[in-house]
Amino acid sequence: MHSLARWFPFLSWPKPTAALLRGEFWAGLTVGLMLLPQGVAYAALAGMPLITGIYASIVPAAVAIVFSPSPRLGVGPTALSALLIGASLMGLAEPGSAHWVALAAWMAIMSGLVQWMLGMVRAGWLLNLVTSPVLTGFTQAAALLILASQLPTLLGLRSDWSALWHSPSIYLFDWHSIAYGLGSIVLLVAAKKWRAAFPSAIFIIALTGLVSWATGFADGGGAVVGHLPAGLPHFQWPGLLSWEEFGDLVMPVLVISLVSFLETASSAQVEHQQAGTRWNENQDLVAQGLSKISAGLFGSFATSASFSRSAVNLLAGAKTGYSNVFSILLVVIVVLWFIPWLYHVPKAALAAIVITAVVNLIKPSVIIQLFRISLVEGCISVATLALTLLTAPRMYWGVFAGIVLSLGYFLYQRLHPRILEVGLHGDGSLRSRQLWQLPPLAPGLITLRMDADLDFASASAMERFTSDLWQQQADAKHLALLTQPINNIDVTGVETFARLERLVAQRGGTLHVVGLKLPVQQRLERAGMLSHQGQHLRLYRTDAEFLAALPQG
């Protein structure tokens, strides 16, 4: 049973009791009432038929519950994934067309396969390539793009921005839509301040739909949701992709896989910290992957874990995955019997829901804080943000540029390790001679400490630093290496160690090696580098042992 629960975590849920199910029901009802309007709104953001946003909240969410070790995650359509889908498919098909839907389904299937395979081979660590500065910059840019994409709907713009620029006129705007949109934003913000767990979005949908019906907004040409097909989603094969289309989707699929799972990680870590359990990122990769695959095969688009819905689920008191089961059942009931009620809902109200959901992602203070911590990483974040905006709709280039910049900075740091010549400080510690103006530990002795592994990236820097010091201190013939910070040594590092030992021997001195860690020592022993102890090589376990062996005065 334990083995089965590893692959099907729902088997480890506690046995349902009346008290447990009562609490889970109210938590699930709260999230379900959020999920319905968000699903429709995010479908519009992705350029998909509006009903697919509700479909994305049924089968994919159920699959995620079965396989996810984080059962309280609110899985379904999200703003960021929807934006990536809409931006990536722009120019490849007509939004809302059958071809667009097929391409979106393939994006879901392909990104799901990527995540599933990463989870199966236990490669969740690869997601660490997307650093916090890169994710921050991309998220800020994506939020700005989402806001820009929703403004025409919110303002009831009857044409495009180009027409407005060349022929500005107030008649290009629908003032009724503006009233619905701005009024919805005011109510959503007020409801959030009043009670964060209150399902304000469904209240706004009901209120604006009722007012729209009463005033005949749709009959007057107003932009409303319109007719949505009733009934549950069913299996549908999206057809085959051409090689050209496959090539166009590869990069967006990789970005959706990365960004989607980082959304999942941010929510899952909060859940497991609260529960005091360890997060199994690889099993969540499997769950999210299978959820996306099911979304593509049931006529929807790529799903993810929503941070806002997951947070509300926890805030509403959810303890298990039963809350999400109730959320899905609520969506099913609406799809079967209440879909016609959405006909009169103004699209401006949906835009308001999207805007209020993503505006919290815009946090300039986070980037300012990055600059305070690290100037370089702050610049990487800003570069990611700028490139994401400049390359829109192919905004995935911003993510990959940020990853390349982060890896370049990481490599630069590895190639330029911190190396110090140390002396004995007045407090008894070994510190930088240059910084603290300290004398050598002993006449003719150079003592070095490198705060990095001795490998192909740092070995050359270590050798150059030592050579420069010997040129500056011509009378020095002994060398001491404080190796406590060195956790690993590779073949290049072993060769550098051998050259340093030979140079010390040629000067008639001794190489003192202090604090070798066992993995490093074993590798040096296998290379035969420690066989000359007592001649030109001496080993010490601690700094104190080394200092005690030095000549006094």
Side-chain angles (χ1 to χ4, degrees):
M1 196 67 181
H2 175 75
S3 178
L4 276 176
R6 177 186 171 191
W7 296 103
F8 302 97
F10 77 96
L11 294 175
S12 61
W13 293 359
K15 291 183 178 180
T17 62
L20 174 65
L21 291 181
R22 190 180 306 114
E24 298 298 283
F25 171 78
W26 289 113
L29 183 65
T30 302
V31 174
L33 291 175
M34 283 183 65
L35 185 57
L36 284 163
Q38 284 188 349
V40 176
Y42 295 156
L45 182 58
M48 295 286 287
L50 300 186
I51 191 64
T52 61
I54 297 180
Y55 289 168
S57 310
I58 301 177
V59 176
V63 170
I65 290 175
V66 170
F67 291 96
S68 175
S70 311
R72 293 181 289 174
L73 289 183
V75 176
T78 64
L80 204 50
S81 294
L83 173 67
L84 284 168
I85 293 164
S88 301
L89 296 181
M90 194 64 65
L92 299 180
E94 182 68 25
S97 65
H99 189 204
W100 181 285
V101 172
L103 291 177
W106 271 112
M107 288 184 74
I109 294 170
M110 290 166 64
S111 58
L113 285 172
V114 169
Q115 288 191 327
W116 176 78
M117 287 189 292
L118 286 175
M120 292 301 291
V121 300
R122 298 294 185 253
W125 56 270
L126 283 173
L127 298 169
N128 295 328
L129 292 175
V130 184
T131 62
S132 179
V134 173
L135 184 61
T136 297
F138 176 76
T139 303
Q140 307 282 309
L144 292 173
L145 291 171
I146 291 173
L147 292 180
S149 70
Q150 295 302 295
L151 278 179
T153 305
L154 183 78
L155 301 177
L157 188 61
R158 294 189 174 97
S159 185
D160 55 22
W161 293 115
S162 176
L164 181 65
W165 175 262
H166 291 98
S167 303
S169 171
I170 61 172
Y171 297 106
L172 291 175
F173 297 97
D174 181 356
W175 295 101
H176 295 93
S177 290
I178 293 176
Y180 282 119
L182 297 182
S184 298
I185 289 177
V186 171
L187 291 174
L188 286 165
V189 172
K192 183 177 180 181
K193 290 184 177 180
W194 171 60
R195 185 180 295 174
F198 178 70
S200 54
I202 196 69
F203 172 76
I204 296 300
I205 290 294
L207 178 63
T208 56
L210 184 63
V211 173
S212 170
W213 169 76
T215 58
F217 179 58
D219 297 334
V224 295
V225 168
H227 290 290
L228 295 178
L232 295 175
H234 58 277
F235 179 87
Q236 47 186 301
W237 178 249
L240 295 177
L241 283 177
S242 68
W243 281 111
E244 183 180 356
E245 290 172 330
F246 178 81
D248 289 335
L249 295 183
V250 167
M251 294 290 279
V253 160
L254 292 176
V255 172
I256 286 177
S257 301
L258 283 171
V259 173
S260 163
F261 195 66
L262 288 169
E263 284 186 297
T264 302
S266 63
S267 301
Q269 286 169 351
V270 171
E271 175 181 338
H272 286 278
Q273 286 170 4
Q274 186 188 85
T277 54
R278 178 184 173 275
W279 179 44
N280 184 348
E281 68 273 16
N282 293 307
Q283 183 59 31
D284 250 331
L285 268 171
V286 170
Q288 293 294 321
L290 293 175
S291 175
K292 286 181 174 60
I293 292 171
S294 68
L297 294 177
F298 281 83
S300 187
F301 53 93
T303 55
S304 184
S306 167
F307 186 82
S308 60
R309 292 195 299 271
S310 300
V312 168
N313 202 22
L314 296 177
L315 189 64
K319 304 296 182 185
T320 68
Y322 292 119
S323 61
N324 280 327
V325 173
F326 286 120
S327 296
I328 295 171
L329 289 176
L330 175 63
V331 175
V332 169
I333 291 170
V334 170
V335 167
L336 290 176
W337 291 293
F338 298 102
I339 279 293
W341 290 19
L342 296 175
Y343 178 90
H344 289 280
V345 175
K347 288 187 177 181
L350 298 181
I353 291 171
V354 175
I355 288 172
T356 52
V358 303
V359 74
N360 295 325
L361 298 176
I362 303 176
K363 298 177 180 177
S365 59
V366 175
I367 294 182
I368 294 173
Q369 183 66 17
L370 283 175
F371 276 102
R372 290 175 181 165
I373 299 171
S374 169
L375 177 62
V376 174
E377 292 188 279
C379 290
I380 290 174
S381 185
V382 170
T384 303
L385 187 155
L387 288 170
T388 301
L389 293 175
L390 291 173
T391 57
R394 301 291 182 259
M395 52 194 292
Y396 45 79
W397 289 115
V399 176
F400 283 108
I403 292 174
V404 170
L405 288 172
S406 293
L407 291 176
Y409 178 53
F410 171 76
L411 186 58
Y412 177 85
Q413 289 180 305
R414 292 296 307 276
L415 292 169
H416 299 80
R418 184 170 182 259
I419 306 173
L420 302 174
E421 182 187 8
V422 301
L424 186 61
H425 192 269
D427 63 4
S429 62
L430 296 175
R431 299 193 181 186
S432 169
R433 278 193 61 203
Q434 285 70 32
L435 183 61
W436 297 94
Q437 301 298 308
L438 302 174
L441 290 177
L445 174 67
I446 294 175
T447 307
L448 302 180
R449 188 189 78 220
M450 181 173 72
D451 297 334
D453 292 338
L454 187 56
D455 55 20
F456 72 95
S458 61
S460 179
M462 180 67 170
E463 205 166 349
R464 284 196 308 270
F465 191 89
T466 306
S467 177
D468 291 344
L469 279 180
W470 262 332
Q471 289 180 8
Q472 297 168 15
Q473 304 177 32
D475 59 333
K477 63 178 183 178
H478 304 288
L479 177 65
L481 300 178
L482 305 182
T483 63
Q484 294 94 333
I486 300 176
N487 296 312
N488 181 54
I489 185 170
D490 64 4
V491 173
T492 305
V494 171
E495 292 172 351
T496 299
F497 185 92
R499 283 195 292 272
L500 291 176
E501 185 179 354
R502 284 197 301 269
L503 288 173
V504 171
Q506 289 171 5
R507 287 174 171 256
T510 301
L511 176 63
H512 303 271
V513 182
V514 185
L516 272 179
K517 291 185 177 177
L518 186 59
V520 179
Q521 182 174 336
Q522 288 175 335
R523 186 157 290 183
L524 288 171
E525 286 174 345
R526 288 197 297 270
M529 293 294 104
L530 304 183
S531 59
H532 305 101
Q533 293 186 51
Q535 302 176 24
H536 299 288
L537 177 68
R538 292 182 185 174
L539 302 182
Y540 308 88
R541 297 309 312 161
T542 64
D543 289 347
E545 181 185 347
F546 165 61
L547 294 173
L550 293 177
Q552 304 299 315

